[in-house]
Amino acid sequence: KAGVTQTPRYLIKTRGQQVTLSCSPISGHRSVSWYQQTPGQGLQFLFEYFSETQRNKGNFPGRFSGRQFSNSRSEMNVSTLELGDSALYLCASSLDSADGNYGYTFGSGTRLTVV
Amino acid sequence: AQTVTQSQPEMSVQEAETVTLSCTYDTSESDYYLFWYKQPPSRQMILVIRQEAYKQQNATENRFSVNFQKAAKSFSLKISDSQLGDAAMYFCAYMYSGGGADGLTFGKGTHLIIQP
């Protein structure tokens, strides 16, 4: 059974550019969540998508957005990149995040560096 | 808002020994889930163990067990017979059972070193 796949693994962008990260969840999983991991702030919840709808959102500016497709694959977009956006972005999938019994399976993340 | 605190930035243990990682949390909810995740250098977060707050019995998964003290809002992880492969960052996490409105709330992590 394939795990959660995130692409690309590494990315270097320039300030002001935009970036799109991709996440393919485990087959059958309908919930996809995104997290930002930095040395200073730790792991922070960005948003969660379920059945193509954003269900929950963390405390991040509107430059951070996402979407989910009918096959549950999700993309995350960051516009007008800032140096502080440099981080490891982790995607997690679950059958349904409303029930913690299902648990979350994480991908290996995308390491974004903004220069 | 809920918070999760891991007071040990780094722990070191000899191979085959037992180590306990501490975690405390703060929430006004009575029904929630608690998790321990492991993040090795490969970066992937791996679920180690899960506890439902309404269950009195402490969760156990092979060499991993928790000491869940709901009144004290404490959730420690005990690793028995430590192995070299246990070396990683360990994160304690909380999630409200009424829906993931805030997703998982993580602690800052504990770096576990296994001495051969």
Side-chain angles (χ1 to χ4, degrees):
Chain A
K1 185 175 179 182
V4 178
T5 304
Q6 290 189 248
T7 56
R9 287 267 293 173
Y10 300 91
L11 207 48
I12 299 176
K13 289 288 188 178
T14 305
R15 259 185 311 177
Q17 286 187 314
Q18 75 165 16
V19 66
T20 299
L21 312 182
S22 178
C23 172
S24 293
I26 288 175
S27 178
H29 282 194
R30 296 160 65 193
S31 167
V32 174
S33 301
W34 289 88
Y35 291 82
Q36 181 195 64
Q37 185 176 20
T38 60
Q41 298 299 316
L43 284 145
Q44 294 183 284
F45 172 68
L46 279 155
F47 31 63
E48 184 227 346
Y49 286 86
F50 181 82
S51 293
E52 301 179 63
T53 301
Q54 185 180 86
R55 192 158 63 175
N56 298 300
K57 190 177 191 303
N59 189 25
F60 276 82
R63 300 184 297 107
F64 291 82
S65 63
R67 59 178 175 170
Q68 187 179 33
F69 302 95
S70 58
N71 62 357
S72 292
R73 189 177 72 87
S74 177
E75 288 182 347
M76 187 192 111
N77 184 273
V78 188
S79 62
T80 319
L81 283 165
E82 300 176 0
L83 294 179
D85 298 332
S86 295
L88 178 66
Y89 289 89
L90 291 163
C91 165
S93 79
S94 174
L95 280 167
D96 184 344
S97 71
D99 183 349
N101 274 313
Y102 291 130
Y104 295 86
T105 303
F106 282 81
S108 296
T110 293
R111 171 77 67 190
L112 172 65
T113 302
V114 182
V115 297
Chain B
Q2 62 280 349
T3 59
V4 177
T5 302
Q6 293 179 250
S7 59
Q8 307 151 315
E10 186 172 280
M11 293 282 285
S12 181
V13 65
Q14 293 285 337
E15 193 176 3
E17 296 293 308
T18 295
V19 63
T20 298
L21 308 184
S22 300
C23 172
T24 58
Y25 58 94
D26 189 27
T27 181
S28 58
E29 305 293 346
S30 59
D31 203 9
Y32 47 85
Y33 299 97
L34 295 165
F35 307 85
W36 277 99
Y37 278 91
K38 165 186 176 181
Q39 187 178 41
S42 66
R43 308 180 328 199
Q44 183 178 15
M45 300 283 280
I46 301 165
L47 178 63
V48 174
I49 201 164
R50 176 181 61 236
Q51 175 79 44
E52 294 128 334
Y54 64 87
K55 287 189 176 179
Q56 299 282 352
Q57 187 174 5
N58 290 323
T60 300
E61 289 286 343
N62 301 312
R63 298 183 294 108
F64 300 87
S65 62
V66 298
N67 183 3
F68 173 49
Q69 301 290 326
K70 191 172 183 179
K73 294 181 181 175
S74 171
F75 183 61
S76 60
L77 174 70
K78 185 172 85 171
I79 306 174
S80 304
D81 185 26
S82 298
Q83 300 175 0
L84 294 177
D86 295 334
M89 284 293 294
Y90 284 80
F91 293 93
C92 178
Y94 163 101
M95 190 185 85
Y96 171 51
S97 65
D102 296 320
L104 287 163
T105 300
F106 287 90
K108 294 292 189 184
T110 296
H111 182 209
L112 179 63
I113 299 167
I114 310 295
Q115 306 277 7

